[in-house]
Amino acid sequence: MNRITELIIDKTSKGYTHREISNFLRVKGYTPNSVSMIEKTINSVKKEYKAKSTPHLISILYQKGHFKLKSSNSRELKKSTSILRNHQDWRRGKIDEPQNNPKDIGEAIDYIINHLTKK
C-alpha cells in the first residue's frame, strides 16, 4: 500500500467520513484528495483483500497486522496505566493522595480493556 492508501485506510478505521478524509489529505498537501478518489481507493483495497464491506476490510487488515500501536497510543497506554496504578495504590492505602477523577479512571479502564482485547 502506498502512503495515501495507508492514510485513507487508517482514517476509515477510526470512523472518519470520506469528506473528512478528503479534507485531511488536502490540508496535508496530498493529491489526489477527492472524495471520489477515496471511494475508489477503498473499493480497490476491498477487492484486493476480497472484503465484502468496509468493516470487513478493516477487520481483515487488522488481523493481518496492518494496524499497530503507535507512539501516541503508547503514550495513552502509559497514561492509563499510571492512572490505574495510582488508583490501586490509593485504594490499598499505599498513598494518601485523593482518588483520581472518576471519569479519568473510567476512560483508563476502557482504554486498557480495548488495548488488551484487540488481539
Side-chain angles (χ1 to χ4, degrees), residues 2 7 10-11 22 30 32 40 42 46-47 58 65 67 75 84 87 92 100 104-105:
N2 66 38
L7 286 169
D10 179 63
K11 295 296 182 188
S22 174
Y30 289 101
K40 289 175 185 172
I42 291 171
K46 282 186 344 193
K47 186 175 180 180
I58 300 304
F67 301 107
R75 283 190 297 274
L84 294 178
H87 181 67
R92 292 178 176 159
N100 291 299
D104 292 340
I105 294 167

Side-chain angles (χ1 to χ4, degrees), residues 5 20 23 25-26 52 54 76 85-86 95 98 102 105 117:
T5 301
E20 290 169 328
N23 291 337
L25 294 175
R26 189 174 301 109
K52 296 176 183 175
T54 302
E76 186 65 28
R85 279 191 179 133
N86 181 273
I95 57 174
I105 294 167
T117 58

Side-chain angles (χ1 to χ4, degrees), residues 76 79-80 83-84 87 99-114:
E76 186 65 28
K79 176 183 171 190
S80 295
I83 289 170
L84 294 178
H87 181 67
Q99 182 178 355
N100 291 299
N101 177 326
K103 180 181 176 196
D104 292 340
I105 294 167
E107 288 174 354
I109 291 169
D110 289 342
Y111 185 85
I112 297 294
I113 289 170
N114 287 334

Side-chain angles (χ1 to χ4, degrees), residues 21-65:
I21 297 168
S22 174
N23 291 337
F24 171 82
L25 294 175
R26 189 174 301 109
V27 167
K28 294 293 184 182
Y30 289 101
T31 57
N33 53 33
S34 68
V35 170
S36 174
M37 182 278 299
I38 291 163
E39 291 168 351
K40 289 175 185 172
T41 300
I42 291 171
N43 287 332
S44 172
V45 178
K46 282 186 344 193
K47 186 175 180 180
E48 178 182 345
Y49 285 92
K50 297 179 175 81
K52 296 176 183 175
S53 64
T54 302
H56 186 215
L57 172 64
I58 300 304
S59 175
I60 290 168
L61 293 174
Y62 179 78
Q63 291 170 8
K64 291 186 176 285

